[in-house]
Amino acid sequence: IKKLIGLQAKTVTIIHSDGHSMVIPIEQVKVGDTILVKPGEKIAVDGKIIRGQSFVDESMITGEPVPVEK
């Protein structure tokens, strides 16, 4: 479990309503925040996609080795 905890993201990029972005620790993320996930970054918190599409590696959760389109 310690190794899995070490793999989680430490910071996220928050997008404010005015378009300004800011990097903050995941401990400061609040419900309703809009988070930017760039290609190759880990998804730090649970949420829903509001814009864009990509493939996500869910292997740590599902065990499936193939990325899933989101």
Side-chain angles (χ1 to χ4, degrees):
I1 293 182
K2 288 181 183 180
K3 287 185 180 184
L4 288 175
I5 291 172
L7 294 175
Q8 76 183 56
K10 309 281 188 257
T11 60
V12 297
T13 303
I14 298 291
I15 305 296
H16 296 284
S17 58
D18 63 0
H20 175 74
S21 64
M22 182 160 111
V23 177
I24 64 169
I26 60 168
E27 294 84 12
Q28 294 179 7
V29 175
K30 298 180 288 267
V31 173
D33 283 345
T34 301
I35 298 172
L36 173 65
V37 181
K38 297 176 185 171
E41 285 186 340
K42 296 175 182 164
I43 300 174
V45 294
D46 193 21
K48 66 179 181 176
I49 298 170
I50 58 173
R51 187 173 60 223
Q53 64 185 33
S54 189
F55 288 87
V56 177
D57 179 1
E58 296 180 340
S59 60
M60 286 181 52
I61 298 167
T62 64
E64 292 293 323
V66 179
V68 178
E69 186 175 7
K70 299 290 181 182

